[in-house]
Amino acid sequence: MSDAPHPTHSQHRSNRLRAARRHSRAIDAALRRAATYPHPAGRIVRIETHISVVYLAGRYAYKIMKPVDFGFVDFTGLDARRRCGEAEIRLNRPFSGAIYLDVKPLSLDAGRCRLDRGNGSVIDYAVRMRRFDQRELFSNRVAHDELDDTDIDIAARKLAKNHLHAQRLVHGSTRAGTAALLRDQVLAALAPVERDPRTAEIARTAQLRRYCESELERLAAHLDARRANGFVRACHGDLHLDNLIRHGSQVLMFDCIEFSDDLRWIDVTADLAFLIMDLHAHGHARHANRLLARYLEATGDFGGLAALPLYVTYRALVRAMVALLKAGPPHAKGSTLRAGPYTPYLDLAAHATRARTPTLLLCHGLSGSGKSVASQALAEQIGAIRISSDIERKRVRPFAPPDLQTLPASAYTPEAIAAHYDRLVELATTVLGAGYTTLVDATFLNAVHRARFAALARRLDVPLLILHFHADSAVLVERVNARARGPRDALNASNASDAGEAVLAAQMASADPLDSAERHVTVDLDTNVPMDAFASTAWWAPLFERMHGMRETGTAPA
């Protein structure tokens, strides 16, 4: 027997990675040549991420997985890359429609690399996709200030539908979706940020670690209860702006997590949080607020809000980690403590650790007063969570879309209305408990209903404001009639109400006036203006001045 020492595991791994890098360079050189492709390729465009390279060639895009091993993913084996490609085709189709086509072999034939042709040995695999217009990526639309409300609304509708119909986790030995696994994942994303000299100062890592560990412990029972109740589902898992595209009248989501069940089988709120986080990181807070609002209108999943700030922090840490991987190791110890592509993500993660004090805002006004459209615009501006009485009345069960058909008269008996306000109190308690300013959009014409929410504010020790929306009677009549003629759409706040002219007349005759104590916490808002005025911060000046005054006295959120 030889006395030579056996190579260590680390030596084997190092040798394997060096060989993989040589292989990767050869494949890259081949796919940069038009002759490698079995069709006209034109000018080939190369797009690289930390784990893959995409080549845009003619009418198609080809994705090659890098032979890398980052711990959370190991693509150093050819068979692993093939399996990943096949999984990518299968798993992306629910999100991206017909973009994904098939997996093609890359062969070495007579010393030449050939894609999907030749009789040589297979040396790699490429996922073939239909090529799309890169200008329509959400990241590019953001960069050119072209991302609009329609993009957000369609994305919210698409994501909500995917989540509502996604396969639920079958409980067994898997740790997917558990609080314990999430803890491992969050701290694993934080660790490289803590170690890297480029980010230690920017990230305020000690504060981030304290926040993450504290929230993971506080929310453990909540996270496991969500899992037990079916909210851990087959999700996309990587919903940042580079992975969404506007495609005609649709928004397509591509490049989902296919290499790890633990990263794909997650709480639906964790999936939503990725896109919310990335919009915030790119300076689009209003769009992030609108996305969340539309998603909640479509799903009613207010229970997911409790962990949303933690998930946003986690997703920001993931993107910071990816940016560090792409940047490579720092050039010298203690150097490059400058801003980099990871900076907005770390700033956002640090911001999420700040304590928040919510406020309870009650809409008050007759049908047609514009409170639904106005409150929707307000929620987008200040990041409040809006609970629509009209929408929630028509949601047949939790985590389901509302059925906006006109309800029978039995839904509006005194008993039914009282039960409905019970539900609104329950939802407001959930949202306030998650730390979000809560905007309840109901008429609140009955003093008894207002008193219940005033009692809730006292019990939870949160500030209360009543937003009194009013308009001329002729304007009210015109608006309720116009609404009755309009289409019904679950993502349109203005048309869920069943109230017509007769209901409006009954409201005028029976409404309880605000008493002196209520008047003391009321902000008067005249809606005799065009509806688009509600999107202006100037129109909300009376409310913002009142909230600023409350902040000065420590009774409202900063």
Side-chain angles (χ1 to χ4, degrees):
M1 292 180 63
S2 171
D3 292 329
H6 291 287
T8 65
H9 174 73
S10 61
Q11 287 174 325
H12 278 306
R13 184 175 185 274
S14 179
N15 293 337
R16 189 174 74 250
L17 290 176
R18 277 198 297 271
R21 283 193 290 269
R22 289 194 298 271
H23 171 86
S24 186
R25 287 193 292 270
I27 297 298
D28 183 61
L31 290 173
R32 288 172 183 257
R33 294 192 296 265
T36 303
Y37 300 88
H39 55 76
R43 186 177 70 87
I44 296 167
V45 178
R46 182 180 183 276
I47 302 170
E48 184 173 3
T49 73
H50 63 301
I51 62 173
S52 66
V53 184
V54 175
Y55 301 86
L56 307 182
R59 295 180 295 125
Y60 301 106
Y62 294 89
K63 180 179 177 181
I64 297 284
M65 306 311 298
K66 292 181 180 179
V68 294
D69 182 359
F70 288 133
F72 63 89
V73 59
D74 183 356
F75 288 146
T76 53
L78 176 62
D79 197 50
R81 297 196 294 277
R82 177 188 59 78
R83 290 196 307 269
C84 180
E86 292 170 349
E88 186 161 0
I89 296 294
R90 182 178 72 256
L91 298 176
N92 271 290
R93 280 179 174 158
F95 303 101
S96 62
I99 286 182
Y100 285 80
L101 297 172
D102 47 31
V103 177
K104 295 295 186 185
L106 185 65
S107 303
L108 188 62
D109 186 7
R112 298 288 300 274
C113 285
R114 304 286 187 181
L115 187 61
D116 194 32
R117 57 181 174 168
N119 299 315
S121 59
V122 174
I123 57 174
D124 222 317
Y125 293 92
V127 173
R128 186 172 66 114
M129 298 171 281
R130 299 184 196 278
R131 187 171 177 175
F132 50 70
D133 187 349
Q134 294 288 304
R135 293 172 299 180
E136 295 302 312
L137 286 170
F138 270 35
S139 54
N140 287 334
R141 290 180 71 81
V142 163
H144 294 93
D145 200 26
E146 294 175 349
L147 193 72
D148 59 28
D149 289 351
T150 300
D151 294 326
I152 297 300
D153 292 352
I154 297 173
R157 183 185 293 115
K158 170 84 171 181
L159 187 58
K161 183 177 179 180
N162 285 346
H163 286 169
L164 290 169
H165 297 286
Q167 184 181 356
R168 293 173 55 161
L169 180 70
V170 177
H171 298 299
S173 59
T174 178
R175 296 177 72 214
T178 62
L181 178 59
L182 180 65
R183 178 184 179 82
D184 292 346
Q185 292 169 331
V186 172
L187 298 183
L190 177 60
V193 173
E194 291 177 312
R195 291 193 301 263
D196 198 292
R198 292 167 294 188
T199 60
E201 182 177 297
I202 300 171
R204 296 180 289 278
T205 53
Q207 179 185 0
L208 273 170
R209 177 168 282 275
R210 285 194 300 271
Y211 169 80
C212 290
E213 290 183 340
S214 172
E215 286 298 278
L216 286 163
E217 181 178 356
R218 183 180 70 86
L219 292 168
H222 165 81
L223 296 169
D224 286 336
R226 293 269 298 175
R227 182 178 186 268
N229 290 328
F231 290 97
V232 171
R233 302 192 173 197
C235 292
H236 184 284
D238 201 19
L239 275 176
H240 53 81
L241 294 172
D242 281 330
N243 286 347
L244 286 90
I245 185 168
R246 181 69 184 268
H247 188 70
S249 62
Q250 302 179 66
V251 167
L252 302 181
M253 303 166 181
F254 60 96
D255 205 14
C256 76
I257 295 290
E258 76 289 319
F259 55 82
S260 170
D261 284 349
D262 286 347
L263 296 176
R264 188 171 68 88
W265 287 93
I266 55 176
D267 192 302
V268 292
T269 304
D271 211 28
L272 170 68
F274 216 140
L275 185 52
I276 288 175
M277 177 281 300
D278 217 14
L279 287 167
H280 275 293
H282 284 80
H284 282 245
R286 190 185 69 81
H287 279 145
N289 295 338
R290 186 180 182 99
L291 176 77
L292 177 57
R294 293 295 189 273
Y295 180 89
L296 292 174
E297 287 170 7
T299 66
D301 188 19
F302 296 97
L305 291 170
L308 182 59
L310 173 63
Y311 284 134
V312 167
T313 302
Y314 167 44
R315 295 313 199 180
L317 290 172
V318 167
R319 291 304 288 168
M321 179 182 68
V322 168
L324 290 170
L325 288 172
K326 291 174 69 175
H331 296 297
K333 186 177 180 180
S335 65
T336 63
L337 284 172
R338 62 182 184 274
Y342 39 77
T343 303
Y345 297 113
L346 295 176
D347 288 345
L348 180 59
H351 183 269
T353 67
R354 299 177 184 176
R356 296 175 299 165
T357 303
T359 298
L360 178 57
L361 304 175
L362 303 184
C363 296
H364 171 264
L366 299 164
S367 294
S369 62
K371 63 185 182 303
S372 292
V373 177
S375 62
Q376 191 175 58
L378 176 62
E380 289 178 25
Q381 290 192 40
I382 67 174
I385 301 300
R386 174 176 168 271
I387 301 171
S388 166
S389 173
D390 291 327
I391 289 177
E392 297 310 315
R393 179 181 279 114
K394 296 185 174 184
R395 198 181 306 281
V396 295
R397 65 182 187 280
F399 203 50
D403 181 354
L404 296 183
Q405 299 303 310
T406 301
L407 293 173
S410 60
Y412 295 98
T413 63
E415 295 78 15
I417 292 173
H420 177 57
Y421 272 89
D422 288 343
R423 176 62 177 157
L424 295 180
V425 168
E426 179 184 338
L427 292 176
T429 303
T430 296
V431 177
L432 290 166
Y436 286 88
T437 288
T438 305
L439 182 57
V440 185
D441 174 20
T443 60
F444 282 108
L445 299 177
N446 189 314
V448 171
H449 299 149
R450 299 194 296 268
R452 291 197 60 192
F453 279 83
L456 173 65
R458 290 192 298 272
R459 177 164 60 84
L460 297 181
D461 193 24
V462 298
L464 170 71
L465 285 176
I466 297 173
L467 312 185
H468 174 53
F469 297 93
H470 60 90
D472 295 340
S473 57
V475 173
L476 299 176
V477 171
E478 178 186 349
R479 286 176 179 168
V480 297
N481 286 335
R483 182 172 59 199
R485 295 190 298 269
R488 299 267 174 163
D489 182 347
L491 295 181
N492 184 339
S494 64
N495 63 3
S497 173
D498 292 336
E501 196 169 341
V503 170
L504 174 61
Q507 290 176 349
M508 290 177 170
S510 63
D512 296 331
L514 298 171
D515 64 24
S516 58
E518 291 172 325
R519 278 287 176 190
H520 183 67
V521 293
T522 294
V523 178
D524 199 71
L525 297 165
D526 185 350
T527 65
N528 283 299
V529 294
M531 291 287 191
D532 57 8
F534 302 145
S536 166
T537 56
W539 190 83
W540 293 100
L543 172 61
F544 293 158
E545 289 171 7
R546 184 68 175 270
M547 294 183 75
H548 177 74
M550 295 170 69
R551 285 197 297 270
E552 291 292 317
T553 60
T555 57

